[in-house]
């Protein structure tokens, strides 16, 4: 192996020196910078090859190139090819065709040498390339085209301990309008990544202080760096190195010397994915911000709806309630107010669905009841109230929304209550303290939903309230609860639950809500839960 590469390397070095001398004599200073880079890389390649020990002279087989030696040789060849191709681009559209041909021969030979070094040990020396035996390709190359996606909003980070490697990659990137930051080892790369945004990392593997594997591992462990794509460019071609890098999060892996067209294709693919990921993150952030604003607005609206609920009262008629919407804004509403000094209106409203629309309709109905702003309505007659609400709020004019309602009017002078219901569960009346549970009454009347059909009528009913009577008015969400085992809490069970709690707990509603949560198996209910308790002394 060693003897096979020494001769073509010597010939390559001779021709690069001749090219440098020729350009100097012609005064082509603009080409000398990259030519001398090629000369530096070729000189280093020759020195590396001559430093490799060999026992071939003693009749033994030349030793196989180990990974470190192969890495160093391929690194130098990568410099020759890379800066050589830059030279070719610089000679396009000039009359220096002979210079272009000479550079093309140098690049071709370097590529053949890289194939030989990457080949298994024992390859025949007959396969060794020489400049004199190679026919130059026709000198014409289109200008290097930037991949359509190779556009970056932020710099590209080039990480390599070899200054010439960094210089080559940086030159290629900057020539195509990309901003570049360089780092000479893994620790420097991490420092750059932590202080500013980077769109792509071009990473070497073999470096001091912290190698490429360590950089990948640190980036993979840092949530803020996990989405930065990494393209590994290394002289190590062993499959173990490739697999290890990919497993640690690398987007792709190129071996040196790299093909420039392939390099740009991989860079473009990485930048395209990064741009799409950034766009997704930006969209996600905007969505989260929008959701946060919406949540804040819903919370504000929910606070407003809750502020409309009346305060609990004490005295001859003591009223308390619990209002537990299943979302920020529920479709339930409850209320009570004195129509006049003798008559107290009591009501629970349950609008279909949840959210802003349902809440607005519930608030609108509550406002109408409080202000008695309903034409030709006798607010002392529950049936009249429901009939006129049905006419005022047809579902066709309210986005298909309807509601159910229980409405009652308590006459304090006679201790009687009149009530009617439109598609709503009956209220539960528990007699005076200590009364038998068998006398519990359900105060309800058959009636259709409110807003569902025009022209329907409702019926009012009436009953007396003994001293100590307790009336519970609620929405169907208070008892239509699905337990964790899939069974449903039905009305009869709910009635017994209220009767039991009312006879054993002073704070009835707190105990009732606790039991409903136990039945549900959590704090989140399927529907809005509204319960109002009225105590008549």
């Amino acid at each position: 192996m060693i003897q096979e590469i020494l001769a073509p390397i010597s010939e390559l070095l001779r021709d690069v020196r001749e090219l440098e001398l020729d350009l100097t004599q012609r005064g082509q200073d603009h080409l000398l910078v990259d030519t001398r880079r090629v000369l530096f890389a070729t000189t280093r390649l020759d020195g590396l090859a001559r430093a490799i020990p060999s026992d071939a002279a003693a009749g033994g087989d030349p030793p196989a190139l180990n990974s470190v030696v192969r890495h160093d040789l391929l690194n130098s060849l990568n410099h020759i090819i890379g800066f050589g191709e830059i030279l070719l681009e610089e000679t396009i559209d000039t009359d220096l065709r002979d210079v272009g041909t000479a550079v093309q021969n140098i690049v071709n030979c370097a590529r053949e040498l890289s194939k030989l070094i990457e080949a298994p040990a024992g390859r025949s020396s007959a396969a060794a390339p020489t400049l004199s035996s190679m026919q130059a390709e026709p000198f014409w190359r289109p200008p290097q085209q930037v991949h359509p996606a190779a556009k970056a909003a932020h710099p590209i980070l080039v990480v390599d301990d070899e200054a010439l490697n960094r210089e080559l990659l940086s030159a290629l990137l900057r020539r195509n309008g990309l901003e570049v930051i360089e780092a000479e080892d893994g620790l420097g790369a991490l420092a750059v990544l932590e202080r500013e945004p980077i769109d792509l990392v071009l990473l070497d593997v073999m470096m001091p202080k912290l190698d490429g594997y360590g950089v990948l591992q640190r980036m993979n462990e840092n949530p803020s760096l996990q989405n930065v794509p990494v393209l590994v460019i290394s002289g190590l071609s062993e499959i173990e190195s490739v697999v290890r890098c990919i497993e640690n999060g690398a987007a792709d892996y190129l071996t040196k010397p790299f093909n420039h067209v392939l390099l740009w294709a991989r860079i473009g693919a990485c930048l395209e994915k990064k741009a799409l990921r950034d766009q997704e993150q930006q969209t996600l952030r905007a969505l989260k911000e929008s959701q946060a604003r919406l949540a804040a607005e819903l919370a504000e609206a929910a606070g407003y709806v809750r502020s409309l609920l009346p305060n609990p009262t004490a005295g001859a008629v003591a009223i308390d309630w619990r209002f537990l919407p299943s979302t920020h804004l529920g479709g339930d509403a409850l209320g009570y107010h004195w129509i006049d000094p003798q008559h107290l209106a009591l009501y629970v409203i349950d609008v279909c669905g949840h959210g802003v629309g349902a809440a607005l309709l519930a608030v609108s109905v509550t406002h109408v009841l409080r202000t008695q702003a309903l034409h030709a309505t006798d607010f002392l007659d529950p049936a009249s109230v429901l009939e006129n609400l049905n006419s005022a709020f047809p579902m066709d004019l309210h986005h298909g929304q309807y509601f159910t309602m229980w409405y009652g009017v308590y006459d304090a002078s006679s201790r009687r209550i009149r009530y009617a219901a439109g598609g709503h569960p009956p209220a539960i009346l528990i007699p005076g303290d200590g009364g038998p549970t068998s006398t519990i009454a359900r105060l309800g009347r058959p009636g259709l939903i409110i807003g569902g059909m025009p022209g329907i009528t409702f019926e009012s009913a009436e009953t007396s309230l003994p001293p100590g009577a307790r009336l519970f008015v609620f929405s169907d969400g208070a008892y239509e609860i699905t337990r964790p085992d899939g069974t449903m809490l039905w009305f009869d069970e709910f009635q017994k639950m209220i009767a039991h709690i009312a006879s054993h707990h002073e704070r009835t509603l707190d105990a009732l809500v606790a039991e409903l949560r136990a039945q549900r198996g959590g704090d989140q209910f399927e529907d809005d839960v509204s319960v109002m308790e009225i105590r008549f002394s």
Side-chain angles (χ1 to χ4, degrees), residues 470-499:
R470 299 161 77 176
L471 181 66
F472 292 86
V473 189
F474 43 85
S475 63
D476 58 10
Y479 65 87
E480 290 184 349
I481 292 176
T482 304
R483 301 183 179 96
D485 63 2
T487 61
M488 179 78 75
L489 174 67
W490 296 108
F491 193 94
D492 288 345
E493 296 176 86
F494 180 68
Q495 177 176 303
K496 293 177 181 178
M497 183 189 301
I498 287 181

Side-chain angles (χ1 to χ4, degrees), residues 306-385:
R306 197 171 188 87
S307 72
L308 297 178
L309 300 176
N311 294 323
T313 65
V317 181
I319 307 175
D320 197 7
W321 50 263
R322 297 293 181 271
F323 176 66
L324 306 172
S326 60
T327 59
H328 274 299
L329 286 173
D332 281 9
L334 55 85
Y336 40 87
H337 61 271
W338 289 94
I339 301 173
D340 58 42
Q342 295 297 323
H343 297 93
L344 175 67
L346 306 161
Y347 45 88
V348 171
I349 303 162
D350 184 359
V351 180
C352 67
H354 310 283
V356 176
L360 287 176
L361 181 54
V363 169
S364 298
V365 175
T366 301
H367 178 73
V368 166
L369 295 174
R370 284 183 174 180
T371 60
Q372 300 184 35
L374 203 56
H375 180 68
T377 301
D378 180 2
F379 283 91
L380 298 179
D381 179 12
S384 174
V385 172

Side-chain angles (χ1 to χ4, degrees), residues 511-528:
L512 177 61
V513 169
E515 180 59 29
L516 292 178
R517 284 173 171 157
Q519 292 284 332
R520 173 62 179 159
D523 293 339
Q524 189 64 38
F525 293 100
E526 301 165 277
D527 196 2
D528 305 326

Side-chain angles (χ1 to χ4, degrees), residues 99-266:
V99 174
T101 301
V103 174
Q104 186 72 68
N105 279 336
I106 291 169
V107 171
N108 290 346
C109 186
R111 290 197 180 282
E112 290 299 317
L113 276 167
S114 66
K115 293 177 184 178
L116 181 61
I117 291 171
E118 290 174 337
R123 177 173 170 174
S124 170
S125 60
T130 63
L131 288 175
S132 58
S133 65
M134 294 176 57
Q135 182 178 358
E137 298 177 2
F139 174 61
W140 183 87
R141 286 173 56 86
Q144 176 68 57
Q145 296 296 317
V146 178
H147 190 279
K151 299 178 182 179
H154 304 110
I156 294 177
L157 176 60
V158 175
V159 188
D160 201 304
D161 62 318
E162 288 279 348
L164 207 57
N165 280 342
R166 299 195 303 273
E167 193 174 346
L168 171 59
L169 287 171
S170 297
L172 291 172
L173 295 168
R174 290 190 177 107
R175 286 169 67 87
N176 287 280
L178 295 172
E179 185 180 354
V180 182
I181 297 177
E182 297 181 11
E184 62 183 17
D185 55 54
L187 294 180
L190 292 175
V192 173
L193 288 166
E194 289 172 359
R195 72 170 182 258
E196 58 184 293
I198 294 295
D199 274 349
L200 174 64
V201 179
L202 302 184
L203 180 67
D204 187 25
V205 172
M206 296 179 66
M207 295 183 294
K209 298 183 181 178
L210 184 67
D211 61 17
Y213 305 127
V215 173
L216 287 170
Q217 184 176 356
R218 298 270 189 96
M219 292 180 66
N220 200 34
E221 293 171 351
N222 188 336
S224 64
L225 301 180
Q226 287 175 350
N227 290 329
V228 179
V230 178
L231 175 57
V232 176
I233 303 177
S234 173
L236 298 177
S237 59
E238 289 82 2
I239 189 63
E240 293 82 4
S241 179
V242 178
V243 171
R244 186 175 176 185
C245 288
I246 298 300
E247 287 180 343
N248 278 279
D252 215 329
Y253 192 107
L254 287 179
T255 56
K256 299 173 184 175
F258 50 79
N259 179 285
H260 286 202
V261 176
L262 182 58
L263 172 68
W264 278 110
R266 300 291 172 81

Side-chain angles (χ1 to χ4, degrees), residues 316-319 337-346 379-380 382 406-419 463-467 469 471 534-537:
V317 181
I319 307 175
H337 61 271
W338 289 94
I339 301 173
D340 58 42
Q342 295 297 323
H343 297 93
L344 175 67
L346 306 161
F379 283 91
L380 298 179
W406 189 98
Y407 185 88
V409 178
Y410 170 64
D411 185 342
S413 60
S414 65
R415 297 188 63 86
R416 296 185 67 81
I417 186 169
R418 297 186 71 192
Y419 56 89
T463 189
S464 60
L465 299 174
L471 181 66
I534 307 99
R535 299 190 184 198
F536 302 92
S537 58

